[in-house]
Amino acid sequence: MEIQWYPGHMTKAKRQMQEDLKLIDLIIELLDARVPAASRNPDISALGRGKSRLFILNKADLADERVTEEWEERFREDGVPVMTVDSRNRADLRSLRPYINEACKERIERNIRRGFKNRPIRAMVAGIPNVGKSTFINTVAGRASTKTGNRPGVTKGKQWIHLGKGLDLLDTPGILWPKFEDPSVGTALALIGSISQDVLNRDELAVALIGFLVSQYPGTLEEHYGAEEGRTAAGLLASIAKARGCLTKGGELDDSKAADLLLDDFRNGRLGRISLERPGASMIGGGR
Ligand code: GDP
Protein backbone atom coordinates (compact mmCIF):
# COMPACT_ATOMS: atom_id res chain seq x y z
CA MET A 1 0.00 0.00 0.00
CA GLU A 2 1.49 3.35 -1.07
CA ILE A 3 1.53 5.99 1.60
CA GLN A 4 2.01 9.70 1.01
CA TRP A 5 4.00 11.42 3.66
CA TYR A 6 4.78 14.91 4.91
CA PRO A 7 8.47 15.37 5.61
CA GLY A 8 8.03 19.07 6.49
CA HIS A 9 5.78 18.31 9.45
CA MET A 10 7.99 15.48 10.52
CA THR A 11 11.14 17.57 10.57
CA LYS A 12 9.49 20.37 12.50
CA ALA A 13 7.96 18.06 15.10
CA LYS A 14 11.24 16.22 15.54
CA ARG A 15 13.17 19.45 16.05
CA GLN A 16 10.59 20.64 18.58
CA MET A 17 10.88 17.39 20.42
CA GLN A 18 14.66 17.56 20.52
CA GLU A 19 14.35 20.96 22.19
CA ASP A 20 11.76 19.76 24.68
CA LEU A 21 13.78 16.67 25.53
CA LYS A 22 16.50 18.88 26.96
CA LEU A 23 14.07 19.95 29.66
CA ILE A 24 12.90 16.61 30.91
CA ASP A 25 13.96 13.46 32.78
CA LEU A 26 11.25 11.07 31.69
CA ILE A 27 9.56 10.28 28.39
CA ILE A 28 6.09 8.82 28.76
CA GLU A 29 5.59 7.14 25.41
CA LEU A 30 2.03 6.31 24.47
CA LEU A 31 1.45 3.26 22.29
CA ASP A 32 -1.85 2.02 20.96
CA ALA A 33 -2.55 -1.23 22.80
CA ARG A 34 -4.02 -2.72 19.60
CA VAL A 35 -0.75 -2.16 17.71
CA PRO A 36 2.04 -1.64 20.24
CA ALA A 37 4.81 -2.36 17.73
CA ALA A 38 3.47 -0.40 14.76
CA SER A 39 2.69 2.62 16.95
CA ARG A 40 6.20 2.74 18.39
CA ASN A 41 8.69 5.11 16.85
CA PRO A 42 12.26 3.84 16.81
CA ASP A 43 13.63 7.42 16.53
CA ILE A 44 12.67 8.17 20.07
CA SER A 45 15.20 5.73 21.46
CA ALA A 46 17.99 7.71 19.85
CA LEU A 47 16.41 11.09 20.55
CA GLY A 48 15.78 10.28 24.19
CA ARG A 49 19.08 8.65 25.03
CA GLY A 50 19.81 9.01 28.73
CA LYS A 51 16.17 9.73 29.60
CA SER A 52 14.01 7.45 31.69
CA ARG A 53 11.18 5.77 29.79
CA LEU A 54 7.69 4.71 30.69
CA PHE A 55 5.45 3.05 28.13
CA ILE A 56 1.68 3.41 28.23
CA LEU A 57 -0.46 0.90 26.37
CA ASN A 58 -3.33 3.26 25.70
CA LYS A 59 -6.82 2.50 24.36
CA ALA A 60 -6.57 -0.81 26.19
CA ASP A 61 -10.38 -0.79 26.35
CA LEU A 62 -10.37 -1.49 22.59
CA ALA A 63 -7.65 -4.17 22.64
CA ASP A 64 -7.87 -7.90 23.31
CA GLU A 65 -7.10 -8.31 27.01
CA ARG A 66 -5.22 -11.59 26.57
CA VAL A 67 -2.99 -10.12 23.88
CA THR A 68 -2.38 -7.03 26.00
CA GLU A 69 -1.20 -9.31 28.81
CA GLU A 70 1.26 -10.89 26.39
CA TRP A 71 2.59 -7.44 25.55
CA GLU A 72 2.91 -6.49 29.21
CA GLU A 73 4.88 -9.66 29.74
CA ARG A 74 7.15 -8.85 26.81
CA PHE A 75 7.86 -5.34 28.12
CA ARG A 76 8.55 -6.73 31.59
CA GLU A 77 10.99 -9.28 30.14
CA ASP A 78 12.79 -6.40 28.47
CA GLY A 79 12.94 -4.59 31.83
CA VAL A 80 10.80 -1.68 30.59
CA PRO A 81 8.02 -0.33 32.82
CA VAL A 82 4.65 -0.41 31.10
CA MET A 83 1.19 0.64 32.22
CA THR A 84 -2.06 -0.36 30.53
CA VAL A 85 -4.85 2.23 30.48
CA ASP A 86 -7.92 3.77 28.96
CA SER A 87 -6.77 7.39 29.14
CA ARG A 88 -10.31 8.70 29.23
CA ASN A 89 -10.77 6.98 32.55
CA ARG A 90 -9.40 8.84 35.53
CA ALA A 91 -9.39 5.73 37.73
CA ASP A 92 -7.01 4.01 35.32
CA LEU A 93 -4.47 6.78 35.76
CA ARG A 94 -4.57 6.89 39.55
CA SER A 95 -1.67 4.49 39.81
CA LEU A 96 0.55 6.42 37.41
CA ARG A 97 2.87 7.60 40.15
CA PRO A 98 4.28 4.20 41.20
CA TYR A 99 5.06 3.47 37.53
CA ILE A 100 6.87 6.79 37.24
CA ASN A 101 8.83 6.02 40.39
CA GLU A 102 9.79 2.66 38.94
CA ALA A 103 10.81 4.21 35.60
CA CYS A 104 12.86 6.90 37.35
CA LYS A 105 14.20 4.79 40.21
CA GLU A 106 17.86 5.41 39.47
CA ARG A 107 17.36 9.12 38.94
CA ILE A 108 15.42 9.52 42.18
CA GLU A 109 18.08 7.58 44.12
CA ARG A 110 20.83 9.66 42.56
CA ASN A 111 19.03 12.89 43.44
CA ILE A 112 18.70 11.74 47.04
CA ARG A 113 22.39 10.75 47.20
CA ARG A 114 23.35 14.19 45.92
CA GLY A 115 21.09 15.93 48.39
CA PHE A 116 18.47 17.05 45.84
CA LYS A 117 15.68 15.34 47.66
CA ASN A 118 12.97 17.68 46.43
CA ARG A 119 13.99 18.00 42.82
CA PRO A 120 10.86 17.24 40.78
CA ILE A 121 10.79 14.66 38.03
CA ARG A 122 10.02 16.41 34.76
CA ALA A 123 8.15 14.37 32.21
CA MET A 124 6.83 14.72 28.69
CA VAL A 125 4.24 12.70 26.83
CA ALA A 126 5.11 11.52 23.33
CA GLY A 127 3.49 9.37 20.69
CA ILE A 128 2.11 9.17 17.18
CA PRO A 129 -0.90 11.27 16.11
CA ASN A 130 -4.24 10.22 17.55
CA VAL A 131 -2.77 7.77 20.07
CA GLY A 132 -4.37 9.74 22.92
CA LYS A 133 -1.65 12.14 24.11
CA SER A 134 -3.98 15.09 24.77
CA THR A 135 -6.54 12.86 26.43
CA PHE A 136 -3.86 11.40 28.69
CA ILE A 137 -2.54 14.85 29.65
CA ASN A 138 -6.04 16.21 30.28
CA THR A 139 -7.00 13.28 32.47
CA VAL A 140 -3.77 13.40 34.44
CA ALA A 141 -3.99 17.18 34.76
CA GLY A 142 -7.66 17.05 35.65
CA ARG A 143 -6.80 16.44 39.24
CA ALA A 144 -5.79 19.45 41.31
CA SER A 145 -2.92 20.84 39.34
CA THR A 146 -1.63 24.24 38.46
CA LYS A 147 -0.24 25.33 35.16
CA THR A 148 2.58 27.81 34.99
CA GLY A 149 5.00 29.02 32.40
CA ASN A 150 8.63 28.23 32.96
CA ARG A 151 11.26 30.80 33.89
CA PRO A 152 11.14 33.53 31.26
CA GLY A 153 14.03 33.54 28.85
CA VAL A 154 15.10 30.00 29.67
CA THR A 155 12.35 27.99 28.08
CA LYS A 156 10.08 30.60 26.65
CA GLY A 157 6.45 29.72 26.35
CA LYS A 158 6.71 26.29 27.93
CA GLN A 159 3.83 25.34 30.13
CA TRP A 160 4.27 22.90 32.95
CA ILE A 161 1.57 21.09 34.80
CA HIS A 162 2.59 20.66 38.42
CA LEU A 163 1.11 17.40 39.52
CA GLY A 164 2.37 17.61 43.08
CA LYS A 165 4.62 15.19 44.94
CA GLY A 166 7.59 16.18 42.84
CA LEU A 167 6.19 15.57 39.38
CA ASP A 168 5.97 18.16 36.60
CA LEU A 169 4.52 17.40 33.20
CA LEU A 170 5.20 19.40 30.08
CA ASP A 171 1.75 20.28 28.77
CA THR A 172 2.63 20.02 25.07
CA PRO A 173 3.05 16.46 23.88
CA GLY A 174 5.79 15.37 21.51
CA ILE A 175 4.40 14.19 18.21
CA LEU A 176 6.17 11.28 16.59
CA TRP A 177 5.64 9.71 13.23
CA PRO A 178 5.68 5.98 12.86
CA LYS A 179 7.93 4.20 10.41
CA PHE A 180 6.39 2.86 7.26
CA GLU A 181 9.10 0.70 5.81
CA ASP A 182 7.03 -2.38 6.46
CA PRO A 183 3.70 -2.16 4.59
CA SER A 184 1.91 -4.10 7.31
CA VAL A 185 2.75 -1.23 9.69
CA GLY A 186 1.01 1.22 7.37
CA THR A 187 -2.01 -1.05 7.14
CA ALA A 188 -2.20 -1.52 10.91
CA LEU A 189 -1.97 2.24 11.52
CA ALA A 190 -4.57 3.01 8.88
CA LEU A 191 -6.89 0.46 10.45
CA ILE A 192 -6.74 2.10 13.85
CA GLY A 193 -7.28 5.47 12.16
CA SER A 194 -3.89 6.95 12.94
CA ILE A 195 -3.19 7.81 9.30
CA SER A 196 -5.67 9.86 7.36
CA GLN A 197 -7.97 7.58 5.45
CA ASP A 198 -7.76 9.88 2.41
CA VAL A 199 -4.33 8.57 1.52
CA LEU A 200 -5.38 4.93 1.61
CA ASN A 201 -7.70 2.77 -0.37
CA ARG A 202 -10.45 1.93 2.09
CA ASP A 203 -11.70 -1.06 0.14
CA GLU A 204 -8.25 -2.64 0.32
CA LEU A 205 -8.08 -1.78 3.99
CA ALA A 206 -11.46 -3.36 4.66
CA VAL A 207 -10.42 -6.48 2.76
CA ALA A 208 -7.24 -6.70 4.87
CA LEU A 209 -9.32 -6.37 8.04
CA ILE A 210 -11.79 -9.01 6.88
CA GLY A 211 -8.96 -11.48 6.15
CA PHE A 212 -7.48 -10.79 9.55
CA LEU A 213 -10.77 -11.15 11.43
CA VAL A 214 -11.64 -14.42 9.72
CA SER A 215 -8.30 -15.95 10.65
CA GLN A 216 -7.75 -14.43 14.11
CA TYR A 217 -11.21 -13.63 15.44
CA PRO A 218 -13.45 -16.16 13.68
CA GLY A 219 -17.15 -15.65 14.16
CA THR A 220 -16.88 -11.87 14.51
CA LEU A 221 -18.27 -11.04 11.07
CA GLU A 222 -20.95 -13.66 11.40
CA GLU A 223 -22.03 -12.31 14.75
CA HIS A 224 -22.11 -8.66 13.72
CA TYR A 225 -23.26 -8.82 10.12
CA GLY A 226 -24.55 -12.36 9.66
CA ALA A 227 -21.82 -12.83 7.03
CA GLU A 228 -20.86 -16.43 6.36
CA GLU A 229 -17.12 -16.66 6.76
CA GLY A 230 -16.45 -19.39 4.19
CA ARG A 231 -16.48 -16.78 1.40
CA THR A 232 -13.66 -14.68 -0.03
CA ALA A 233 -12.92 -11.34 1.62
CA ALA A 234 -14.50 -9.52 -1.35
CA GLY A 235 -17.57 -11.74 -1.04
CA LEU A 236 -17.76 -10.98 2.67
CA LEU A 237 -17.60 -7.26 2.00
CA ALA A 238 -20.55 -7.68 -0.36
CA SER A 239 -22.43 -9.60 2.39
CA ILE A 240 -21.82 -6.74 4.79
CA ALA A 241 -23.11 -4.29 2.17
CA LYS A 242 -26.22 -6.42 1.78
CA ALA A 243 -26.79 -6.93 5.50
CA ARG A 244 -26.52 -3.21 6.19
CA GLY A 245 -28.30 -1.96 3.10
CA CYS A 246 -25.26 -0.22 1.61
CA LEU A 247 -26.49 0.62 -1.88
CA THR A 248 -25.44 2.98 -4.64
CA LYS A 249 -27.96 5.44 -6.09
CA GLY A 250 -28.58 2.93 -8.83
CA GLY A 251 -29.50 0.28 -6.24
CA GLU A 252 -26.32 -1.79 -6.55
CA LEU A 253 -24.39 -3.08 -3.53
CA ASP A 254 -21.93 -0.38 -2.48
CA ASP A 255 -18.70 -2.02 -1.29
CA SER A 256 -17.06 1.29 -0.42
CA LYS A 257 -19.90 2.22 1.91
CA ALA A 258 -19.68 -1.22 3.50
CA ALA A 259 -15.90 -0.77 3.87
CA ASP A 260 -16.43 2.56 5.67
CA LEU A 261 -19.02 1.01 7.94
CA LEU A 262 -16.82 -1.96 8.81
CA LEU A 263 -13.76 0.22 9.49
CA ASP A 264 -15.82 2.57 11.61
CA ASP A 265 -17.28 -0.32 13.62
CA PHE A 266 -13.80 -1.72 14.18
CA ARG A 267 -12.24 1.62 15.22
CA ASN A 268 -14.99 2.31 17.70
CA GLY A 269 -14.80 -1.09 19.31
CA ARG A 270 -18.22 -2.19 18.06
CA LEU A 271 -16.76 -5.49 16.81
CA GLY A 272 -15.41 -6.24 20.28
CA ARG A 273 -11.93 -5.98 21.72
CA ILE A 274 -9.48 -6.75 18.96
CA SER A 275 -5.67 -6.54 18.82
CA LEU A 276 -3.88 -6.40 15.49
CA GLU A 277 -0.43 -7.38 16.72
CA ARG A 278 0.99 -9.96 19.08
CA PRO A 279 4.53 -9.83 20.44
CA GLY A 280 6.86 -11.12 17.75
CA ALA A 281 4.22 -11.25 15.02
CA SER A 282 2.25 -8.75 13.05
CA MET A 283 -1.07 -10.40 12.45
CA ILE A 284 -2.27 -8.09 9.75
CA GLY A 285 -1.19 -8.60 6.15
CA GLY A 286 0.39 -6.03 3.88
CA GLY A 287 -2.75 -4.55 2.38
CA ARG A 288 -4.56 -7.34 0.65
P1 GDP B 1 -3.50 12.81 20.29
O1 GDP B 1 -3.52 13.19 18.84
O2 GDP B 1 -2.42 11.80 20.56
O3 GDP B 1 -3.42 13.96 21.25
O4 GDP B 1 -4.87 12.03 20.58
P2 GDP B 1 -6.19 12.53 21.34
O5 GDP B 1 -5.95 12.67 22.79
O6 GDP B 1 -6.74 13.70 20.60
O7 GDP B 1 -7.16 11.26 21.14
C1 GDP B 1 -7.59 10.80 19.87
C2 GDP B 1 -8.93 10.10 20.01
O8 GDP B 1 -8.76 8.90 20.77
C3 GDP B 1 -9.97 10.91 20.75
O9 GDP B 1 -11.21 10.69 20.10
C4 GDP B 1 -9.97 10.33 22.15
O10 GDP B 1 -11.22 10.45 22.80
C5 GDP B 1 -9.66 8.89 21.87
N1 GDP B 1 -8.96 8.23 23.00
C6 GDP B 1 -7.88 8.66 23.67
N2 GDP B 1 -7.51 7.77 24.61
C7 GDP B 1 -8.39 6.74 24.52
C8 GDP B 1 -8.52 5.48 25.21
O11 GDP B 1 -7.72 5.10 26.10
N3 GDP B 1 -9.56 4.68 24.81
C9 GDP B 1 -10.41 5.02 23.80
N4 GDP B 1 -11.38 4.17 23.48
N5 GDP B 1 -10.32 6.20 23.15
C10 GDP B 1 -9.32 7.03 23.50
Side-chain angles (χ1 to χ4, degrees), residues 195-260:
I195 311 172
S196 160
Q197 187 151 321
D198 305 341
V199 297
L200 291 149
N201 178 328
R202 62 182 176 214
D203 292 18
E204 268 180 33
L205 212 50
V207 164
L209 180 61
I210 288 171
F212 166 79
L213 290 172
V214 170
S215 73
Q216 301 295 328
Y217 292 90
T220 303
L221 294 173
E222 205 141 345
E223 183 187 330
H224 289 274
Y225 307 105
E228 278 179 43
E229 295 188 354
R231 313 180 61 187
T232 60
L236 280 165
L237 192 57
S239 312
I240 294 170
K242 203 166 172 188
R244 290 299 161 94
C246 301
L247 299 174
T248 62
K249 280 196 185 118
E252 311 257 306
L253 289 180
D254 188 337
D255 284 354
S256 295
K257 250 187 217 161
D260 276 344

Side-chain angles (χ1 to χ4, degrees), residues 34-163:
R34 294 165 296 174
V35 287
S39 58
R40 191 166 169 181
N41 181 309
D43 277 352
I44 197 173
S45 298
L47 286 173
R49 197 161 288 138
K51 307 291 175 187
S52 304
R53 304 278 289 278
L54 170 63
F55 285 94
I56 305 285
L57 294 177
N58 194 38
K59 306 200 184 184
D61 54 300
L62 299 172
D64 183 333
E65 279 165 295
R66 283 166 309 155
V67 179
T68 301
E69 279 169 23
E70 289 176 27
W71 281 107
E72 288 173 329
E73 190 59 39
R74 163 60 66 87
F75 278 93
R76 269 195 292 272
E77 278 166 17
D78 292 345
V80 183
V82 63
M83 185 183 182
T84 298
V85 301
D86 167 354
S87 275
R88 299 165 311 168
N89 185 347
R90 197 166 288 186
D92 276 16
L93 286 169
R94 262 189 214 124
S95 54
L96 176 65
R97 190 58 213 232
Y99 283 94
I100 289 181
N101 288 347
E102 188 195 339
C104 298
K105 197 162 164 265
E106 285 171 18
R107 190 173 299 273
I108 292 167
E109 283 168 2
R110 196 166 60 229
N111 283 346
I112 291 171
R113 269 202 313 276
R114 290 178 179 172
F116 302 129
K117 211 175 151 200
N118 296 320
R119 177 178 283 184
I121 293 288
R122 294 189 144 190
M124 87 178 283
V125 170
I128 64 170
N130 208 35
V131 71
K133 298 179 291 302
S134 308
T135 307
F136 179 90
I137 292 174
N138 285 338
T139 303
V140 170
R143 276 176 287 136
S145 64
T146 51
K147 287 190 183 189
T148 57
N150 207 342
R151 281 173 297 162
V154 181
T155 50
K156 202 162 148 248
K158 287 291 158 217
Q159 294 277 318
W160 291 91
I161 304 162
H162 303 296
L163 295 171

